[in-house]
Amino acid sequence: MLDVRPSPIAGQWYESDPEMLARNVDEYLEEAQLPELDGEVIAVIAPHAGHTYSGAIAGYAFAALREASTRLSASPNLVAVIAPMHHPYVEPLITTAHDAYSTPLGDVPVDKDTVIELDEILKSELGFGLSPVSNDKEHSIEIELPFLQRLFSSEQSEWKLLPVMVRASEPSVSEGLGKALAKVLRDKNFVLVASTDLSHENNHQTALRYDRAMLSEIESFNPEGAFDLEHAGKGFACGFGAFTAVMWASRELGADKVRVLRHATSGNVTGDYSSVVGYAAAVILKSTSTQS
């Protein structure tokens, strides 16, 4: 029997009824109006607030994954979700100790072999690996899973999850994680997702200034600049250690550009612009002209 991580957020951060959850996620995906994407999708960046607040923005990122998957000869069998750990663990890089994540749409098995492979590379290159935790309350990975379950629910080959949560705030750790991820993923049929929100608890105009600065570094494909911006207090993202790792991994995997697909704040949903959270969706691409 699988040791399944129970959901601490179903019924709060997203619908607990499977049919309603599936319908909501499908609507977010269908309503996303994507531009033409010139290149192979290597990774996406998606927000991780409750679906009511950021689901429509996340729909853009996962719609880009859906469009990319239609071009593949085989369905992905590994999904790596790299996310922040908001809770006060001391370990720099964390994974789940469970065998699977539970959502109302079913259980998502963890790829234990790939977790071990990544852990060994990290220990060799950073001097420490992934710390497994049980019964965590972190939402930043789980909130993305219903989108992935709806994207790949009809696929015949079962996909497994590589979950990594980042507490470290040093560029060297994120870069090391990114390069280790690239080594693990290179020969696999994978999907790579970075989970992050942007600025928190500013008025709308201030949030727009901070978010535009961070999105400029993201769209410039500049993880170093994103760290500099965060540390200088001129732009913010709760998952900056996670999405920069995905940017570094994507570089190693041949990506050469980033396209921001959508940006909004919680004020656009609630109508309260006095204190908002920023959300964005982006796609990391390998240009067609550079593909081998």
Side-chain angles (χ1 to χ4, degrees), residues 248-266:
W248 267 303
S250 299
R251 274 187 186 174
E252 295 290 311
L253 294 165
D256 59 349
K257 63 181 178 181
V258 182
R259 183 98 179 254
V260 174
L261 301 173
R262 196 74 169 176
H263 171 254
T265 75
S266 57

Side-chain angles (χ1 to χ4, degrees), residues 27-34 56-61 63-64 66:
E27 287 178 358
Y28 294 138
L29 293 168
E30 291 302 324
E31 290 172 1
Q33 300 295 311
L34 294 177
I57 304 300
Y60 277 77
R66 181 176 63 179

Side-chain angles (χ1 to χ4, degrees), residues 262-280:
R262 196 74 169 176
H263 171 254
T265 75
S266 57
N268 298 123
V269 175
T270 66
D272 179 0
Y273 295 98
S274 63
S275 180
V276 303
V277 179
Y279 313 121

Side-chain angles (χ1 to χ4, degrees), residues 60-80:
Y60 277 77
F62 291 104
L65 275 185
R66 181 176 63 179
E67 182 176 301
S69 68
T70 63
R71 306 175 188 172
L72 300 175
S73 58
S75 60
N77 51 32
L78 175 67
V79 178

